[in-house]
Amino acid sequence: MNTLAYALLSFLARRPMSGYDLMLAIQPLWQAKHSQIYPLLAKLETEGHVDYVLVEQKDKPDKKVYSITESGHVALQDWLQQPSGDPIIRDEMVLKLYTLWLGDHASAKRVVEERIAYFRKRLQRLEVTLADVQDEHSEVLTEPDILSPVFTRLKLLERAITTARLELDWCFDFLKQIEQSEKKPR
Amino acid sequence: MNTLAYALLSFLARRPMSGYDLMLAIQPLWQAKHSQIYPLLAKLETEGHVDYVLVEQKDKPDKKVYSITESGHVALQDWLQQPSGDPIIRDEMVLKLYTLWLGDHASAKRVVEERIAYFRKRLQRLEVTLADVQDEHSEVLTEPDILSPVFTRLKLLERAITTARLELDWCFDFLKQIEQSEKKPR
DNA sequence: CCTGTCATGTAAACGGTTACATGATTCC
DNA sequence: GGAATCATGTAACCGTTTACATGACAGG
């Protein structure tokens, strides 16, 4: 059982989904391709942590809708009690920022602007998602309940948005400093 | 040539180092074990991007001190111009936060407190490093120069510290909300 | 007609971790 | 005496990405 397996169980604990749905839903929290998810779901099924029903569709291809089993719930609960692995960040752009001194002002600008574009896009996506969640679940705002699945989702969304804004601010500050040092060359 | 290879070149462009030194220095920007770094350095050497001299030591084991070559510099510069991969974050604790609604207040607290402990430690390490860099390079503060290797390092350190503080604030806020909802049970 | 979405799978290759292997020195 | 640091390497395994493979429907 790896982390992705628990991630799948966690999503299935919220609602039954197909492997395709899971693949899309899981992206913000744990990047994974369908080629990793489908075999894992099959493995979780043989272990009895999930089961599925084949749902036939007319306009779209048939699908397997997976649900978490009692055994899966136990595994999830157990995982929650275990100590977690440290966060791992693989950010190629940060590595390039670290290497900027090798180049010139123009290439420095390009790297920072690429980063701005990325976080602008990300921030926009996050804000749309937040608005959607708030629309569909107005009750969470008036009566916050930690043990509701929507509350934790909202909290994580807010956190992601604050972080993205911070990253953008940092980039703008950096850009300004680059432009200032361009004006007064040594 | 993968990202780790460019990371190694980037560090060697700052100063010649052994594989062991690289392994330690690279951790904050790109996690990698020595078992990945040593073979990669050998590969980079056969490709002519780095070379090394064997330095014999009396009190410690001998070491290979690697330097970047002209060809390595060209490869690095080329990489800087290429578009970067999106940042990838694998944070098991975030996944658990997302799953908190399944458990009770006590287990929710435990997960958040584990996260607080992690970021407290990280913040402390980062602050010590920042102080060290500022001590050794006071010139960067009085006359900031974007194209100096210390400047980019300092900028990234400041960014990491701000992010860690933000994570901690978020955790404390979450903890408070958990405790509040404990007092008024539904 | 072509591209994108829905839907599921397998195989090969690459990236990364854990374990195996060795050995001297230093510090508790 | 035992653990930690310095130092380099290999091998097996696990996790992840990319490519191969198929097919129907919808929209521009």
Side-chain angles (χ1 to χ4, degrees):
Chain A
M1 293 285 286
N2 55 28
T3 310
L4 178 57
Y6 292 112
L8 294 174
L9 290 181
S10 173
F11 274 83
L12 290 178
R14 294 182 169 232
R15 63 179 180 86
M17 300 166 98
S18 69
Y20 190 84
D21 293 334
L22 276 167
M23 188 247 319
L24 295 176
I26 221 164
Q27 295 309 320
L29 292 189
W30 199 272
Q31 287 70 34
K33 316 275 155 156
H34 72 273
S35 54
Q36 204 182 358
I37 289 168
Y38 290 128
L40 231 190
L41 279 172
K43 199 191 145 212
L44 287 172
E45 201 244 305
T46 63
E47 283 165 3
H49 291 320
V50 301
D51 52 22
Y52 71 91
V53 280
L54 197 88
V55 175
E56 287 176 47
Q57 299 179 119
K58 354 164 194 126
D59 51 337
K60 293 179 199 172
D62 298 351
K63 60 179 174 181
K64 295 178 178 176
V65 174
Y66 285 88
S67 307
I68 191 167
T69 62
E70 194 43 47
S71 147
H73 256 112
V74 173
L76 250 192
Q77 284 285 0
D78 204 70
W79 169 68
L80 269 184
Q81 316 303 316
Q82 304 295 128
S84 313
D86 286 351
I88 288 171
I89 297 174
R90 297 202 184 272
D91 193 337
E92 196 181 353
M93 285 187 260
V94 164
L95 230 104
K96 283 191 185 169
L97 290 169
Y98 189 72
T99 319
L100 277 192
W101 61 278
L102 260 184
D104 53 17
H105 293 277
S107 64
K109 262 185 176 171
R110 213 177 323 102
V111 173
V112 178
E113 270 157 9
E114 192 194 7
R115 199 167 175 81
I116 287 173
Y118 171 78
F119 278 106
R120 272 227 179 94
K121 212 170 181 178
R122 180 176 160 82
L123 185 58
Q124 211 187 303
R125 260 200 320 263
L126 286 167
E127 277 168 346
V128 169
T129 312
L130 178 68
D132 287 353
V133 174
Q134 283 174 341
D135 275 9
E136 283 168 42
H137 305 275
S138 51
E139 78 280 2
V140 188
L141 297 165
T142 51
E143 188 66 38
D145 174 11
I146 273 93
L147 299 183
S148 110
V150 188
F151 181 82
T152 48
R153 203 184 159 199
L154 218 108
K155 270 277 175 191
L156 285 174
L157 268 171
E158 284 168 1
R159 172 180 158 276
I161 286 171
T162 316
T163 308
R165 289 218 181 99
L166 198 118
E167 290 275 8
L168 278 174
D169 288 347
W170 184 88
C171 286
F172 290 134
D173 179 57
F174 203 152
L175 255 191
K176 218 199 275 174
Q177 283 188 303
I178 294 172
E179 275 157 15
Q180 263 169 22
S181 98
E182 245 178 337
K183 276 175 201 157
K184 43 168 187 181
R186 36 193 57 252
Chain B
M1 292 285 286
N2 54 28
T3 310
L4 178 57
Y6 292 112
L8 294 175
L9 291 181
S10 173
F11 274 82
L12 291 179
R14 293 183 169 231
R15 62 180 181 86
M17 299 166 99
S18 69
Y20 190 83
D21 293 334
L22 275 167
M23 188 244 323
L24 295 176
I26 222 165
Q27 295 310 320
L29 292 188
W30 199 272
Q31 288 69 34
K33 316 275 154 155
H34 71 275
S35 53
Q36 205 182 358
I37 290 169
Y38 289 129
L40 230 189
L41 279 172
K43 199 190 144 213
L44 287 173
E45 202 246 302
T46 62
E47 283 165 3
H49 291 320
V50 301
D51 52 21
Y52 70 90
V53 281
L54 197 86
V55 174
E56 289 176 45
Q57 301 180 117
K58 1 175 183 117
D59 53 336
K60 293 179 199 173
D62 298 351
K63 60 180 174 180
K64 294 178 180 178
V65 174
Y66 285 88
S67 307
I68 191 167
T69 61
E70 194 44 47
S71 147
H73 256 111
V74 173
L76 250 192
Q77 285 284 1
D78 205 72
W79 169 67
L80 270 183
Q81 316 303 316
Q82 303 295 128
S84 312
D86 287 351
I88 288 171
I89 297 174
R90 298 205 183 271
D91 193 337
E92 196 181 353
M93 284 188 260
V94 165
L95 232 109
K96 283 192 184 167
L97 291 168
Y98 189 73
T99 321
L100 277 191
W101 62 277
L102 261 183
D104 52 19
H105 293 275
S107 63
K109 263 186 176 173
R110 213 179 323 102
V111 173
V112 178
E113 271 157 8
E114 193 194 6
R115 200 167 174 80
I116 287 173
Y118 170 79
F119 279 106
R120 271 227 179 96
K121 213 170 179 177
R122 180 177 160 81
L123 185 59
Q124 211 186 303
R125 261 200 320 263
L126 286 167
E127 277 168 346
V128 169
T129 313
L130 178 67
D132 287 353
V133 174
Q134 284 174 340
D135 275 8
E136 283 168 42
H137 305 274
S138 51
E139 79 279 2
V140 188
L141 297 165
T142 50
E143 189 66 36
D145 173 14
I146 273 93
L147 299 183
S148 111
V150 188
F151 181 82
T152 49
R153 204 184 159 200
L154 217 108
K155 271 275 172 194
L156 285 173
L157 268 171
E158 284 168 0
R159 172 180 159 276
I161 287 171
T162 315
T163 309
R165 290 219 181 98
L166 198 120
E167 289 274 10
L168 276 175
D169 288 347
W170 184 88
C171 285
F172 289 136
D173 178 57
F174 202 152
L175 254 190
K176 217 199 276 175
Q177 282 189 304
I178 295 172
E179 274 157 15
Q180 263 169 22
S181 100
E182 245 178 339
K183 277 176 201 156
K184 44 167 187 181
R186 31 195 56 250

